[in-house]
Amino acid sequence: MLASLSHQELPDDSRCHLLVVDNDAHQSGHGVCDQFRDSLPFPLTYVHEPRRGLSFVRNRLLEGSVSLASDVVVFVDDDEEVSPTWLKSLVVKYRASGAMVVSGPVEPRFPADTPAWVYEGTFFRPPRHPDGAAVDLAFTGNVLIDLRLVTQDGLWFNPRFALTGGEDVDFFTRARFSGARLVWAADAVAYETVGRERLRARWLALRLFRSASCTVISQATIYGRFRTLTSWLPQCFTRVLRALYCVAAAPVRGRSSLVCALGHLAVSAGIVAGIFGITYREYAGV
């Protein structure tokens, strides 16, 4: 990530500052930041966040950005790379659209020995939208946030999701609920190398279960339990029917169809679990 940031084209009429928040108890990122500090086109500040969890890391980034009197904060993950015009594209779209949130695509990069079923099933296909289109949701892997959402609307990442993940879905759902507009910047591309540990059916199933359960928990808090139930329960049954179809199609479509069936069942189970406030702490062991 730092290597790709060293080649950024900066937006016109802007001042940029890079904040790196390290959540490792041993502060393993400190030396890496020192290696790249002089090659970056903007100042770098390294911060250690001792409280474990994604919500605490992201809130520390919000706090740091507010203390710098920034207009916006841009989130990107440490296991990604960005195109040279990535930052400029986000800022240009922000200025042109007037939206409070601007999100861009995260394209997956797979190892050379990736199994065929991964490609056939399109399990890692990122969302795609027309440039400038309004979107319902954003993710912190590639997003710009107007800091007025924090300073005026009081939005922060919920510690409830610190070790589960889903804190970004919750944040941007609440942002939309408060009236914020989210738009898509198709040219602001980030790239994520998919680790081999993710190329397993078990990992996919757990991720889908966790994502569904956290989304239901978040929406029940925001919209109310009854509205969430009536919205999600029909999808729960639909997912089971899709799983049965995928199993029936497996003799023709192969393993990808079986993994797809498992994914539908995982989402269905996650919906039920979320209704009862149960989820999977995906990041508890990290």
Side-chain angles (χ1 to χ4, degrees), residues 103-125:
S103 181
V106 179
E107 299 289 343
R109 288 175 171 170
F110 297 102
D113 57 350
T114 296
W117 63 265
V118 173
Y119 296 106
E120 294 165 359
T122 64
F123 301 104
F124 295 90
R125 177 180 293 171

Side-chain angles (χ1 to χ4, degrees), residues 17 30-31 82 129 141 221 263:
H17 196 112
H30 198 289
V82 291
H129 309 279
T221 303

Side-chain angles (χ1 to χ4, degrees), residues 24-281:
D24 179 16
H26 302 289
Q27 303 186 38
S28 57
H30 198 289
V32 179
C33 289
D34 287 341
Q35 292 176 27
F36 283 90
R37 194 180 300 276
D38 294 335
S39 63
L40 293 165
F42 28 64
L44 183 155
T45 297
Y46 171 89
V47 179
H48 178 241
E49 173 51 66
R51 295 170 297 176
R52 291 183 60 241
L54 296 170
S55 300
F56 300 119
V57 171
R58 306 208 191 285
N59 283 337
R60 192 68 177 268
L61 287 164
L62 292 180
E63 291 168 0
S65 300
V66 170
S67 68
L68 288 168
S70 302
D71 297 311
V72 301
V73 59
V74 180
F75 282 88
V76 65
D77 289 342
D78 60 353
D79 59 352
E80 297 175 0
E81 298 177 47
V82 291
S83 60
T85 58
W86 162 75
L87 183 59
K88 190 172 185 177
S89 297
L90 285 173
V91 173
V92 166
K93 188 63 62 183
Y94 164 73
R95 290 171 172 171
S97 67
M100 298 293 279
V101 177
V102 181
S103 181
V106 179
E107 299 289 343
R109 288 175 171 170
F110 297 102
D113 57 350
T114 296
W117 63 265
V118 173
Y119 296 106
E120 294 165 359
T122 64
F123 301 104
F124 295 90
R125 177 180 293 171
R128 290 185 174 88
H129 309 279
D131 188 46
V135 294
D136 294 331
L137 202 57
F139 303 93
T140 44
N142 184 4
V143 68
L144 176 151
I145 302 170
D146 189 313
L147 282 169
R148 286 177 294 178
L149 286 175
V150 179
T151 58
Q152 296 181 14
D153 296 346
L155 285 181
W156 297 88
F157 290 92
N158 190 343
R160 165 70 174 80
F161 303 102
L163 295 178
T164 63
E167 79 294 340
D168 51 356
V169 171
D170 175 75
F171 181 92
F172 294 113
T173 301
R174 287 187 287 120
R176 282 196 69 233
F177 185 70
S178 69
R181 191 160 61 94
L182 289 63
V183 301
W184 187 254
D187 295 334
V189 183
Y191 303 92
E192 179 183 21
T193 299
V194 179
R196 286 180 174 82
E197 73 281 357
R198 298 188 175 191
L199 304 178
R200 300 197 304 264
R202 182 178 183 276
W203 184 90
L204 285 167
L206 286 173
R207 169 58 66 93
L208 291 169
F209 173 88
R210 189 272 295 167
S211 178
S213 58
C214 286
T215 300
V216 170
I217 291 170
S218 170
Q219 291 192 6
T221 303
I222 298 168
Y223 300 119
R225 188 176 178 83
F226 178 76
R227 177 177 170 180
T228 303
L229 279 171
T230 57
S231 173
W232 282 93
L233 279 181
Q235 185 179 155
C236 182
F237 294 112
T238 300
R239 291 280 185 168
V240 173
L241 293 176
R242 289 179 180 175
L244 293 174
Y245 171 80
C246 290
V247 170
V252 176
R253 298 187 177 181
R255 185 180 177 185
S256 66
S257 192
L258 290 175
V259 177
C260 188
L262 179 63
H264 286 306
L265 292 175
V267 171
S268 182
I271 292 170
V272 174
I275 290 171
F276 292 97
I278 300 169
T279 188
Y280 163 59
R281 301 209 309 169

